[in-house]
Amino acid sequence: GENVEQHPSTLSVQEGDSAVIKCTYSDSASNYFPWYKQELGKRPQLIIDIRSNVGEKKDQRIAVTLNKTAKHFSLHITETQPEDSAVYFCAARDGQNFVFGPGTRLSVLP
Amino acid sequence: GAGVSQSPRYKVAKRGQDVALRCDPISGHVSLFWYQQALGQGPEFLTYFQNEAQLDKSGLPSDRFFAERPEGSVSTLKIQRTQQEDSAVYLCASSLPAGEDNEQFFGPGTRLTVL
């Protein structure tokens, strides 16, 4: 089955700097990769996703890149703001369900 | 309702008790998923329904865990003879048909603490 690894486990950045979170997956058949943001005590919410037929997708300050050959994908957040502080999870579709990474706790320092 | 709801939000059980966790998906969502999220970890897949059919239960950790969705809407996750290692947040998610990369919408979760 699919295995997803995520790095770093914690990340602190100054407000206005960029943040990058990286994930690797094991199953070359995986073709859909969502990213979720989970604030403390709240439900995970989808922030961006990418399908395997594209290499990059952007939505305002958030972008995701995918390297199918290397089986890794990354989340990029530019111009970080304090409200970006949360735990971020990457995931890879495995059949009809999803395998999640262990999460990255992002802290944006004012 | 506008989103996925779960009840109860918090449950404390004594070891050995049975518990039942409820999920109300978004109306019209045929796919429903249960996940277990331990403290500081990502959600781990437990089981998946399409309508009333349980198509995948490979993630259920033991035969003490049982899920049902008899009418293809509300789902219940039951844990029998709870153990301390069952303590976690149990998340439910629903979506339009799962095979089409439709977004999964998560509920707020039920935090289960087994003493």
Side-chain angles (χ1 to χ4, degrees):
Chain A
E2 178 67 274
N3 181 53
V4 176
E5 296 185 352
Q6 184 171 349
H7 301 279
S9 57
T10 60
L11 178 60
S12 293
V13 299
Q14 290 294 133
E15 183 177 357
D17 287 351
S18 296
V20 180
I21 302 170
K22 299 181 179 181
C23 288
T24 60
Y25 61 100
S26 61
D27 187 350
S28 57
S30 292
N31 59 7
Y32 175 65
F33 307 92
W35 284 88
Y36 288 84
K37 175 182 181 182
Q38 187 174 30
E39 297 179 38
L40 188 63
K42 297 191 176 180
R43 69 191 76 193
Q45 291 195 305
L46 180 73
I47 55 171
I48 197 167
D49 56 14
I50 190 167
R51 289 168 176 76
S52 58
N53 57 347
V54 298
E56 182 175 0
K57 182 177 178 180
K58 288 187 71 173
D59 182 3
Q60 300 182 342
R61 298 187 296 108
I62 295 173
V64 57
T65 58
L66 171 65
N67 182 325
K68 284 182 61 178
T69 303
K71 291 189 282 189
H72 65 70
F73 56 113
S74 300
L75 178 71
H76 304 252
I77 306 174
T78 58
E79 301 171 31
T80 53
Q81 301 168 2
E83 53 265 37
D84 295 329
S85 296
V87 178
Y88 291 80
F89 295 99
C90 61
R93 194 167 77 135
D94 179 23
Q96 291 178 319
N97 67 67
F98 292 87
V99 178
F100 285 79
T104 297
R105 180 174 300 278
L106 173 64
S107 299
V108 179
L109 308 174
Chain B
V4 179
S5 61
Q6 291 185 246
S7 61
R9 292 292 315 277
Y10 303 91
K11 177 69 178 177
V12 178
K14 292 183 179 179
R15 191 174 58 173
Q17 273 186 321
D18 298 349
V19 299
L21 314 180
R22 177 187 169 107
C23 172
D24 285 79
I26 292 172
S27 178
H29 279 191
V30 300
S31 298
L32 186 146
F33 303 80
W34 283 99
Y35 293 90
Q36 181 189 60
Q37 186 175 25
L39 189 63
Q41 298 295 316
E44 290 202 3
F45 170 78
L46 294 176
T47 186
Y48 157 64
F49 291 85
Q50 183 161 305
N51 296 305
E52 69 279 3
Q54 189 175 19
L55 299 186
D56 187 345
K57 53 182 182 179
S58 62
L60 296 176
S62 78
D63 58 8
R64 296 186 295 104
F65 287 70
F66 172 76
E68 61 183 3
R69 194 186 185 198
E71 298 179 358
S73 179
V74 171
S75 177
T76 303
L77 176 68
K78 297 179 180 178
I79 308 173
Q80 297 177 322
R81 304 181 303 281
T82 52
Q83 303 294 314
Q84 285 187 322
E85 61 262 30
D86 300 335
S87 296
V89 174
Y90 290 86
L91 292 166
C92 174
S94 72
S95 75
L96 294 170
E100 299 175 12
D101 298 338
N102 290 303
E103 178 180 352
Q104 288 194 0
F105 291 84
F106 282 86
T110 294
R111 181 176 296 278
L112 173 64
T113 302
V114 181
L115 303 178

